[in-house]
């Protein structure tokens, strides 16, 4: 709870929270692989953006489900981006390695992208269609939400 308070304190509401039908705010972030990745370059694909942190217990529970989702749909034009907000990327890399994550992990160490998306809970998940529009926003994690993600991704990759 204290960590969420710290996140809220570092994320002033300069931007309105993302919502369905609005264009997804573009960003470029460094990846764990070493290069930069820009959301705008993924136009034409369905993109799930998941904001997470190593201190977030529900994030750790959700990660294996997201990994399976990525493996299931990545050959159908689906990309999953795990945006870590920790100040030390080494912690994120260590956790991603331990969990065997296959999807790209990006670093938002200054929290500029998380502020642009104005998500006020962790994990925060945004599903973006092939045209770059936000279609679904999920705040937090609850058991069983992976079935919802699966249905939403499946519907979007068929569009």
């Amino acid at each position: 709870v204290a960590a969420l308070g710290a996140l809220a304190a570092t994320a002033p509401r300069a931007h309105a929270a993302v919502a369905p039908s609005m264009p997804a705010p573009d960003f470029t972030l460094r990846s764990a692989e070493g290069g930069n990745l820009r959301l705008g370059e993924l136009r034409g694909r369905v993109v799930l953006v998941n904001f997470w942190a190593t201190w977030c217990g529900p994030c750790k529970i959700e990660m294996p489900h997201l990994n399976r989702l990525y493996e299931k749909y990545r050959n159908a034009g689906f990309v999953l981006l795990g945006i870590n907000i920790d100040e030390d990327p080494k912690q994120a890399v260590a956790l991603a390695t331990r969990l065997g994550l296959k999807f790209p992990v990006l670093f938002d160490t200054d929290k500029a992208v998380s502020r642009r998306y104005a998500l006020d809970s962790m994990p925060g998940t945004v599903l973006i269609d092939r045209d770059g529009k936000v279609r679904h926003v999920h705040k937090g994690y609850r058991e069983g939400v992976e079935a919802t993600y699966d249905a939403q991704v499946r519907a979007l990759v068929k569009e």
Side-chain angles (χ1 to χ4, degrees):
V1 174
L4 282 177
L7 173 64
T10 62
R13 295 290 172 181
H15 299 278
V18 293
S21 299
M22 71 181 289
D26 198 12
F27 59 81
T28 301
L29 289 172
R30 187 171 55 88
S31 80
E33 301 297 316
N36 288 335
L37 197 147
R38 181 175 173 228
L39 178 64
E41 292 173 356
L42 299 175
R43 188 68 55 91
R45 297 184 189 174
V46 173
V47 181
L48 186 147
V49 178
N50 179 263
F51 292 88
W52 65 283
T54 58
W55 48 258
C56 168
C59 298
K60 294 176 198 175
I61 294 168
E62 184 177 57
M63 288 291 166
H65 299 297
L66 294 176
N67 207 39
R68 285 191 290 277
L69 188 70
Y70 175 68
E71 291 287 336
K72 183 175 181 179
Y73 291 106
R74 72 183 194 175
N75 292 328
F78 173 67
V79 177
L80 196 153
L81 304 175
I83 299 181
N84 179 270
I85 65 161
D86 290 358
E87 291 177 11
D88 181 2
K90 289 185 215 119
Q91 293 176 338
V93 170
L95 181 60
T97 300
R98 192 167 69 243
L99 294 175
L101 300 183
K102 304 293 185 200
F103 55 84
V105 172
L106 309 177
F107 306 117
D108 186 23
T109 56
D110 64 1
K111 297 168 189 57
V113 175
S114 24
R115 278 195 298 275
R116 288 192 71 201
Y117 276 72
L119 298 173
D120 56 3
S121 59
M122 293 298 283
T125 303
V126 178
L127 194 53
I128 302 164
D129 69 17
R130 295 179 190 274
D131 295 324
K133 287 203 173 23
V134 173
R135 294 292 286 275
H136 304 282
V137 177
H138 299 274
K139 295 181 179 185
Y141 171 80
R142 66 188 183 293
E143 190 175 330
V145 74
E146 54 273 2
T148 301
Y149 291 166
D150 189 279
Q152 291 172 343
V153 169
R154 184 173 51 249
L156 289 175
V157 297
K158 287 182 178 179
E159 287 185 1

